[in-house]
């Protein structure tokens, strides 16, 4: 019967310890990746809760369909900007009238409770994602008509469909911001079969109106993002994506 020498026994122990260390390293790496993925998912959900995206899907990848996609984009964004400004003016006029009525009530010494309620209403911030959704939802048909008018003028035989949806986006970079993959609410315009390359931007905060062609995000738009997100979410947004590389080095 062959006897194992002390040297062989030492080799077996080293080999066993080596396997154990490798297993522990792999488990540690898996745990670290799992924690990192969970943290990113939480941050993504936080970002998605404050962001409304704008998504235009072209009929196909033909040069003609891709070109008209951008024309639709420009016209719809211009229309939304005009309508939003008019809405802001109407809101300002309403607040001014409410303020005048409140002053009259206070002078007369009546309506104190109503005056307090009107102050609370004016204190609410109208520039929010919810306000943008409330503005867009009843105007989807009007937005579709804007898109259809562009399609008709360009001689396209198909039409547009507009909707507010929650859909999955992969990692997308817009200016200096990289929005993590996940589910986001979006104003989506489907042109014809909607099988071509898509275009997107951020409708709220209003990054779309900075430079929709080159996706340049100005300082004031970045400030809007910083204001609606937590510090951790904002840092995640502006952090450059890194590629994970796993390697082992033997000593």
């Amino acid at each position: 019967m062959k006897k194992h020498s002390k040297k062989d026994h030492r080799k077996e122990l080293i080999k066993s310890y080596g396997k154990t260390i490798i297993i522990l390293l792999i488990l540690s790496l898996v745990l670290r990746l799992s924690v990192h993925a969970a943290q990113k998912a939480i941050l993504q959900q936080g970002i998605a809760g404050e962001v409304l995206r704008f998504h235009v899907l072209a009929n196909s990848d033909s040069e003609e369909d891709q070109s008209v996609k951008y024309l639709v984009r420009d016209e719809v964004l211009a229309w939304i900007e005009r309508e939003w400004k008019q809405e802001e003016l109407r809101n300002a006029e309403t607040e001014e009238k409410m303020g005048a009525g409140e002053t009259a009530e206070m002078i007369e010494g009546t309506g104190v409770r109503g005056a307090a309620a009107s102050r609370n209403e004016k204190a609410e911030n109208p520039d929010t994602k919810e306000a943008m959704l409330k503005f867009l939802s009843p105007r989807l048909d009007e937005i579709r008509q804007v898109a259809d008018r562009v399609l008709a003028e360009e001689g396209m035989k198909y039409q547009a469909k507009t909707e507010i949806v929650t859909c999955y986006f992969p990692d997308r970079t817009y200016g200096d911001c990289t929005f993590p993959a996940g589910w986001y609410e979006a104003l989506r315009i489907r042109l014809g079969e909607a099988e071509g390359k898509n275009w997107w931007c951020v409708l709220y905060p209003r990054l779309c109106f900075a430079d929709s062609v080159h996706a340049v995000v100005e300082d004031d738009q970045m400030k809007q993002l910083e204001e609606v997100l937590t510090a951790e979410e904002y840092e995640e947004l502006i952090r450059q994506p890194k590629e994970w590389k796993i390697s082992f080095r033997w000593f």
Side-chain angles (χ1 to χ4, degrees), residues 46-182:
I47 294 169
E50 299 294 342
V51 166
L52 179 66
R53 299 171 78 150
F54 180 40
H55 196 203
V56 185
L57 291 82
N59 178 62
S60 75
D61 285 335
S62 72
E63 184 176 345
E64 189 177 34
D65 284 339
Q66 287 295 313
S67 177
V68 80
K69 173 186 71 176
Y70 294 118
L71 294 177
V72 168
R73 171 202 67 187
D74 292 343
E75 284 299 313
V76 168
L77 284 177
W79 184 89
I80 291 174
E81 181 75 344
R82 287 195 303 270
E83 289 296 311
W84 180 261
K85 286 181 178 179
Q86 290 179 14
E87 184 77 1
E88 287 180 331
L89 287 173
R90 285 192 290 268
N91 290 338
E93 290 175 357
T94 300
E95 286 189 4
E96 187 176 347
K97 290 178 181 178
M98 288 174 62
E102 178 183 327
T103 301
E105 288 179 351
M106 293 179 69
I107 291 173
E108 294 173 5
T110 61
V112 176
R113 185 173 300 175
S118 66
R119 281 196 298 270
N120 289 335
E121 288 177 3
K122 287 191 291 183
E124 294 178 0
N125 182 11
D127 190 14
T128 63
K129 176 185 173 182
E130 289 71 24
M132 179 63 80
L133 283 170
K134 186 177 180 181
F135 165 79
L136 291 173
S137 294
R139 294 174 171 83
L140 289 178
D141 192 56
E142 293 177 77
I143 294 172
R144 179 191 57 76
Q145 291 175 22
V146 172
D148 282 345
R149 184 175 67 248
V150 175
L151 296 175
E153 289 173 353
E154 296 301 315
M156 300 295 107
K157 302 302 180 183
Y158 51 83
Q159 293 183 314
K161 295 178 182 178
T162 55
E163 54 188 348
I164 302 290
V165 295
T166 299
C167 52
Y168 184 85
F169 286 86
D171 284 333
R172 294 289 183 89
T173 298
Y174 186 81
D176 297 327
C177 304
T178 297
F179 289 81

Side-chain angles (χ1 to χ4, degrees), residues 169-203:
F169 286 86
D171 284 333
R172 294 289 183 89
T173 298
Y174 186 81
D176 297 327
C177 304
T178 297
F179 289 81
W183 294 87
Y184 293 83
E185 281 187 284
L187 166 63
R188 185 164 66 181
I189 301 179
R190 300 167 60 89
L191 304 179
E193 298 299 322
E195 295 179 350
K197 293 177 183 177
N198 65 85
W199 180 91
W200 75 279
C201 72
V202 177
L203 198 55

